[in-house]
């Protein structure tokens, strides 16, 4: 496995963490504000700071993996480019939210109270960053999955259930150890050559 493939695996593993973590941290901060619990607020803000670091890893891994996946079948270069552009915008939005969260942590560390202006400003930036993360994730899902692109039609097919039953009966896990295969999809079509008919030979004579 080359380095590009490693970056791709890293990106697939961590790409949803920033958005989910940001949602959890913001909800925790909102709860701590209502309860007027400084420890909960501080933990939530620190969570946003950690989200910023993970976001950098997500963007960096995706940037390195983009060229590796660009040649895959069914992959859309348009969605890949759009995903990368939104990812860059989301990165800066989460950086801004992380910077504000860091400022809040410092103020709380200095025993200073976080006023309503901080809550409103942080909420606007955090919600915007979370919304942009959701858009980026939605576009990312369409990069290599034609089934979720606009205009696609997904039709439920019983073929996979039949295939699973055959595999279960075969008692094997690897496809090269079982006679079950999708021959109709992999067998190349063979073109038949037309039989030349001479002008002087009738069809009855050929028979």
């Amino acid at each position: 496995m080359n380095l590009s493939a490693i970056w791709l695996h890293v990106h697939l593993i961590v790409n949803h963490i920033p958005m989910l973590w940001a949602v959890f941290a913001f909800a925790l901060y909102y709860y701590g504000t209502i309860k007027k619990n400084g420890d909960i607020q501080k933990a939530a803000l620190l969570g946003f700071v950690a989200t910023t670091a993970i976001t950098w890893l997500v963007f960096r891994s995706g940037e390195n993996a983009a060229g590796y996946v660009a040649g895959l079948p069914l992959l859309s270069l348009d969605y890949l480019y759009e995903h990368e552009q939104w990812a860059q915008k989301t990165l800066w939005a989460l950086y801004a939210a992380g910077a504000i969260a860091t400022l809040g942590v410092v103020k709380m560390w200095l025993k200073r109270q976080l006023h309503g202006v901080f809550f409103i400003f942080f909420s606007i930036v955090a919600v915007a960053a979370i919304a942009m993360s959701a858009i980026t994730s939605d576009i990312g899902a369409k990069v290599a999955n034609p089934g979720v692109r606009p205009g696609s039609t997904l039709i439920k097919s019983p073929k996979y259930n039949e295939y699973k039953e055959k595999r279960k009966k075969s008692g094997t896990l690897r496809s090269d150890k079982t006679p079950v295969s999708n021959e109709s999809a992999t067998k190349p079509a063979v073109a038949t050559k037309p039989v030349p008919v001479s002008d002087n030979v009738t069809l009855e004579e050929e028979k």
Side-chain angles (χ1 to χ4, degrees), residues 50-111:
T51 300
T52 304
I54 299 175
T55 303
W56 177 86
L57 177 61
V58 172
F59 182 80
R60 182 63 176 170
S61 60
E63 191 176 36
N64 288 330
Y68 179 74
V69 302
L72 293 177
L74 303 180
L75 185 137
S76 170
L77 294 179
D78 292 333
Y79 279 114
L80 180 62
Y81 178 78
E82 188 176 350
H83 176 62
E84 186 174 357
Q85 297 304 305
W86 271 99
Q88 191 169 14
K89 297 175 184 177
T90 304
L91 176 67
W92 287 109
L94 285 170
Y95 276 174
I100 298 172
T102 303
L103 178 62
V105 172
V106 172
K107 290 186 68 175
M108 295 185 71
W109 190 270
L110 297 175
K111 306 298 182 182

Side-chain angles (χ1 to χ4, degrees), residues 6-16 58-59 61-62 65 83:
I6 295 175
W7 278 118
L8 174 60
H9 284 289
V10 171
H11 186 70
L12 293 175
I13 292 172
V14 302
N15 62 30
H16 289 103
V58 172
F59 182 80
S61 60
H83 176 62

Side-chain angles (χ1 to χ4, degrees), residues 124-200:
I124 293 173
V125 178
V127 170
I130 292 171
M132 293 173 70
S133 297
I135 295 173
T136 304
S137 298
D138 178 67
I139 298 173
K142 298 172 184 176
V143 171
N145 190 349
V148 297
R149 295 172 190 167
S152 64
T153 303
L154 295 178
I155 301 174
K156 186 176 181 180
S157 174
K159 291 184 178 179
Y160 183 57
N161 290 333
E162 296 174 0
Y163 176 78
K164 286 196 297 184
E165 291 300 322
K166 292 179 180 179
R167 289 297 298 271
K168 288 179 181 178
K169 291 179 181 179
S170 69
T172 58
L173 295 177
R174 291 176 60 87
S175 59
D176 57 353
K177 293 183 179 180
T178 175
V180 179
S181 63
N182 190 4
E183 293 180 356
S184 61
T186 59
K187 188 176 180 180
V190 179
T192 57
K193 295 182 179 180
V195 178
V197 179
S198 174
D199 295 335
N200 300 326

